[in-house]
Amino acid sequence: MSPELQALCILLVEDSPADIRLTEEALLDSPIVDTLHVTRDGEQAMDFLRQRGAHTDAPRPDLVLLDLNLPRKDGREVLEELKGDPELRRIPIVVLTTSATEADILRSYDLHVNSYVTKPVDLDEFAHAVHSIQVFWGGVVQLPPS
Amino acid sequence: LTPDAGGAQGTSTLLGTEARFQAVTESIGDAVIVTDARSEILFWNAGAETIFGYPESEALGSPLTMLMPERFRDPHRAGLARVLAGGETHVIGRTVRLAGLHRNGTEFPIELTLGRWSDDERTLFTGVVHDITERDASERYLAAQLAVTGALVEATSADEAVPKLLPSLASAMGWQIAVLWTVDDSGTGIRCEQFWRAEEVVAEAFERRTREAVFPFGEGFPGYVWKAGEPVCVDDFGADKRFPRAPLAAQAGLRRAIGLPLVVGGETVAVIEFLTYESGAPDAGLTAMMETLGRQLGLFFLRRRMEHSLAQARDELERSNADLEQFAYVASHDLSEPLRTVAGFVQLLGKRYEGQLDAQADEFIGYALDGVGRMRQLIDDLLLFSRTGSAELQPAPVSLEDIVERVRRSLAANLEASGGWITSSELPELVADPVQLEQLLQNLISNGLKFRGEEAPRVAVSAAREGAAWRVEVADNGIGIEPKYADRIFKMFQRLHGRDAYAGTGIGLAVCKRIVERHGGRIWVEAPESGGARFCFTLSDQEVAA
């Protein structure tokens, strides 16, 4: 891993506790420790990003990992809202979902998602995918200055 | 002709002329009739008596209109008035087709040639009438046969032909109304499927009643024909008390009814009913024609019935296939979610706690991981199977050699580990969906490598012309397949071996079969004497000629 890798502040928007846990495990597995915040539905995610409701003290994340199928407000709506908001649209969004359907992939890119990752079934592959996201956004990419 | 016309000399000249005229007219078979301007008959020859049935004594002095069916009388009077007023002279000297009315009330087709002349003070008309019943009938039978044959030949389906059949048949015969009655599926009633009438016919009440009617077996004219099972002709339908629609038919001037049952395998499936202004007993020609027609149309309705049941079966099959695919797709997607959770945590357990619990715990985790792996494979294969059926085929020219080379590369690790090899010889270019063709060969070749015997696995791919198709063979030197399982192996989830001997979900060959069949080909397996298994499939020859 490159030495200049920086720890990220990540917002994970995911409703399945099992998937939250697996993502945490994968992130914990790596030498750099990111800050991971979790919201369980789309409404909460918007509150977090807009620092409203229960999240008035929320930090601005470097990266959002977004599931598509969420209760209350689903990931597609969250994506559309974020990318339509001049204040928030610079935050990179990675869709991390089980869906591999063409319709979901195209729709997400049409809504200006930064990248789209299908969750692998295998744990090691999943961990690898999460690490790749970490390395890419925490090392390779120049993030927008906050 | 007219004794009081003209002077003495004129009379004698006329008499002389009349004698000659009489001699001529008596010797010909046609009717020669002379009338005055009021249409009163002044002259009547023997031919007229034969054709119309009136003796001269009865005919002379009678109105000409008694020789025409009711519906022609008013038009005749109006036309005569126009001619006398100096218009419409074009009817004079021409031959026209009309209907005549016999003394016994029957109608028959005639050809009439009209002449007009004057003596000193009067306008007179001569009509020469030729009875064309026979000629007309044979012409009409021929036209009717042609109409039916034409409708049967031109239509691509029976459904398309039926609506054209009635009008062409009825107009060829010169009949006014044709109705197609079909027997209900339950076989309890017969109802109107199609009603056709010639343009000039006014029969609103009759049509309405016909369209609404449902007749049980034996009732009404269609029910009567249905019961009779053979062509029926009713000479004066309008006056027949057995039939509920008779008064309405009479109102419309319809006289004769002809019913033709369409019999398929001994069972009447439909009745065609014709109504016409004509009356009187039908001749033998008509009866014979009806019988021929009944047989011909019966076959036709058999075809229609088969087309319908075929279409129904196809629709059902398509629906159930689509349902199955939809089910497989949704099930595998929805199964993936919980599987990921199970797989993830079992793996985590194994990783983190292996050797820290007891030996049994490690064994249990091992089984769980194994199950998860198989389930994953099953879901992937199911998804593949459903995509193979639903994805749109995109055929393009492809080199079979290139496809085999790609498979060879994708199986490189396998080949190295097993010491196996894949040979191919003189493979043609085909037109097929490249993705599916590769999937097909990938499955067949990897099967050949998987079901290996003691020796290093060897798979040979070859192709040969077979009629208009290519026959491709994938032969291996493996354990072979007993002929009694030759069909079973292509079905979903069918496996011949325990999982510990050979891994797999039993979907691969079902996918192969599906791919080949979607390309219009056939797949089967042979057991060569030399051992191993030989999978063969055909691909119809859409080979790039251009």
Side-chain angles (χ1 to χ4, degrees), chain B residues 83-314:
Chain B
V83 169
L84 290 171
E88 291 197 20
T89 45
H90 64 274
V91 299
I92 306 299
R94 265 184 49 198
T95 301
V96 288
R97 277 194 172 201
L98 287 170
L101 186 66
H102 192 272
R103 186 166 182 257
N104 67 14
T106 61
E107 249 185 77
F108 58 95
I110 59 166
E111 228 168 54
L112 168 69
T113 313
L114 206 58
R116 174 190 178 170
W117 48 290
S118 315
D119 64 8
D120 297 339
E121 47 205 74
R122 293 184 304 179
T123 294
L124 298 168
F125 295 95
T126 310
V128 178
V129 175
H130 185 59
D131 179 351
I132 55 166
T133 304
E134 272 179 37
R135 193 184 82 202
D136 187 58
S138 53
E139 276 175 11
R140 280 155 52 175
Y141 299 162
L142 191 64
Q145 282 292 336
L146 280 174
V148 171
T149 314
L152 298 193
V153 168
E154 282 163 25
T156 52
S157 74
D159 263 346
E160 186 190 313
V162 167
K164 295 178 189 160
L165 208 58
L166 291 191
S168 49
L169 190 56
S171 25
M173 291 300 290
W175 291 336
Q176 282 67 40
I177 284 178
V179 186
L180 173 66
W181 298 83
T182 39
V183 176
D184 285 348
D185 287 339
S186 59
T188 54
I190 190 164
R191 65 178 74 231
C192 167
E193 180 181 326
Q194 193 194 359
F195 186 100
W196 177 87
R197 62 176 173 77
E199 221 167 291
E200 74 275 8
V201 177
V202 181
E204 257 180 65
F206 179 79
E207 175 169 348
R208 207 168 33 246
R209 177 81 178 85
T210 299
R211 287 188 186 278
E212 290 165 359
V214 181
F215 290 115
F217 187 69
E219 284 177 36
F221 186 62
Y224 181 80
V225 178
W226 180 11
K227 190 175 178 182
E230 56 182 26
V232 175
C233 191
V234 175
D235 297 335
D236 203 348
F237 177 74
D240 202 319
K241 300 259 185 304
R242 287 175 297 176
F243 306 122
R245 290 175 304 147
L248 297 174
Q251 239 175 55
L254 298 161
R255 308 283 301 271
R256 180 193 278 170
I258 299 160
L260 184 64
L262 305 181
V263 182
V264 174
E267 181 197 342
T268 298
V269 295
V271 167
I272 298 183
E273 166 189 87
F274 297 104
L275 288 131
T276 148
Y277 292 145
E278 290 169 21
S279 59
D283 58 82
L286 178 66
T287 318
M289 190 201 77
M290 280 295 151
E291 276 165 12
T292 315
L293 214 58
R295 277 197 298 275
Q296 216 174 353
L297 293 176
L299 285 177
F300 191 64
F301 274 75
L302 176 66
R303 178 176 147 194
R304 181 165 90 152
R305 183 180 268 195
M306 285 163 75
E307 278 173 9
H308 282 180
S309 57
L310 201 65
Q312 210 178 348
R314 194 193 50 219

